[in-house]
Amino acid sequence: MKNLIIVLLTALLLPLSPTLSVACSGIRYHFFWTEPKANTDGSLITNLTGTNLYYSLNGGTAKSNFYKASKPTGGGAKSAYITINMNCETKVNRVEAWAKAINTDSIESSKGNVVVKPVPALGSNAAGGGL
Amino acid sequence: MKKVILGLVLGLILISSTAFAFPLSTAKLSWTLPTATVDGQPLNADTAITAIKVSCGTTSGIYTVTKSVGLVVEYLASDMPLTVGTWYCVVKASNKYGESAPSNSKQFILEGSVPAAITDLTIQ
C-alpha cells in the first residue's frame, strides 16, 4: 500500500508531454519586376512608395510582402526572395504571385501578370524543400 | 470710404458643369480678381490688390490649410498642399487697407492617380 502511494505521488511529478508537430520546410523563390514610371492616366509617377508582392499557395489566401520603392518616380528594377512553406499533405504544390505598385496616397495599381510555379512532389528534385 | 476689395469669385478650371472630382496631380483652383472696392470704386494704384490668400479645409467653413499665393489667378491644388479627399476652399484678396470677404466656397473631390500595373513579374 505504501509503495502504491509512492508510485502515485511520483507520477504527479512527471512533466507534461511535449507537443510534436511536423511541417514541411519552405522553398525560397526569387522574384524580379520593374516598378512603373507612370500612372494609369499617363502622368509620371512622383509619389511611388513601393511594391506589394502577393503570393499564395495552392490558390489559398494570399499573403503579401512590401518592398520599398527605388525612388518616388519609380522605374527601378527590383528583386526579392520569399521563402514559402509548402503543404506536406499535397503532392504537388502550386505557388502563384503577382505584384502591385503603391503610392503615398495608399492607392495600389491593378493586379499585374500572375506568375505560377508548380512545386515538384516531395521526395523528387525539389530545390531546398521536403522533409 | 471703404477701400477694401470686393470678394472674389472662385472657380475650378478644367471641369465640366456636372463633374466635381479631379485628379490631384492636375487639379487647379482658379479665381477672378475683383476690379472694385466694397464701395464700388474701381481699383486704382492706391487700392490695388497686394496679395491673394487661398484657404481650404475638409469641413465646410473650417479652413485648415492657408497659403498666400502671390498675385496669380490660379494655383495647383497639390501645391497647397491638398491631398486626396473632399475639400472646401475660399479665396481672399488684400490691399493695403485690409482683406476682402471670402469668396464663394467651392467643394470638390481630389482623386489620387493610380500607378500603372506591374506586368513583368518573373519567378525563379
Side-chain angles (χ1 to χ4, degrees):
Chain A
M1 183 63 175
K2 185 179 175 184
N3 290 337
L4 176 62
I5 293 172
I6 292 173
V7 168
L8 288 173
L9 287 175
T10 303
L12 291 175
L13 299 175
L14 295 174
L16 292 172
S17 300
T19 303
L20 174 66
S21 62
V22 179
C24 279
S25 61
I27 295 181
R28 194 169 79 154
Y29 293 98
H30 200 180
F31 294 91
F32 302 87
W33 70 96
T34 307
E35 298 168 332
K37 290 195 289 188
N39 294 304
T40 54
D41 61 6
S43 60
L44 294 177
I45 290 179
T46 58
N47 60 346
L48 187 69
T49 189
T51 301
N52 284 326
L53 185 55
Y54 293 87
Y55 58 95
S56 72
L57 183 67
N58 301 326
T61 303
K63 298 180 181 178
S64 67
N65 289 359
F66 172 77
Y67 299 94
K68 193 176 175 185
S70 56
K71 50 187 185 294
T73 51
K78 301 286 290 182
S79 68
Y81 287 99
I82 298 180
T83 297
I84 302 174
N85 292 320
M86 298 296 106
N87 185 332
C88 303
E89 300 171 3
T90 304
K91 264 198 167 179
V92 178
N93 288 275
R94 187 181 80 256
V95 172
E96 292 183 355
W98 58 95
K100 292 185 179 183
I102 185 167
N103 61 24
T104 53
D105 291 329
S106 299
I107 298 175
E108 269 189 327
S109 67
S110 60
K111 190 174 179 178
N113 65 305
V114 179
V115 293
V116 180
K117 189 85 170 178
V119 180
L122 297 175
S124 64
N125 295 328
L131 289 171
Chain B
M1 193 156 86
K2 292 196 175 177
K3 297 187 176 181
V4 178
I5 305 168
L6 282 173
L8 306 178
V9 175
L10 175 65
L12 278 172
I13 63 173
L14 303 178
I15 216 68
S16 73
S17 58
T18 53
F20 67 109
F22 311 91
L24 173 59
S25 59
T26 56
K28 230 183 254 189
L29 298 165
S30 68
W31 47 88
T32 305
L33 294 178
T35 56
T37 57
V38 171
D39 60 0
Q41 297 300 312
L43 296 177
N44 54 37
D46 181 53
T47 57
I49 298 171
T50 55
I52 299 291
K53 190 184 293 182
V54 182
S55 297
C56 300
T58 55
T59 302
S60 179
I62 301 175
Y63 305 109
T64 55
V65 181
T66 297
K67 192 154 188 174
S68 291
V69 300
L71 294 179
V72 296
V73 293
E74 59 183 27
Y75 203 71
L76 278 176
S78 57
D79 285 345
M80 280 293 292
L82 302 184
T83 55
V84 170
T86 300
W87 291 91
Y88 303 82
C89 291
V90 295
V91 180
K92 294 180 184 178
S94 300
N95 62 11
K96 68 178 185 182
Y97 296 99
E99 194 171 72
S100 73
S103 67
N104 57 309
S105 175
K106 197 74 177 179
Q107 178 192 356
F108 55 95
I109 297 171
L110 291 179
E111 297 176 329
S113 294
V114 180
I118 295 171
T119 57
D120 66 345
L121 180 68
T122 58
I123 180 174
Q124 290 181 2

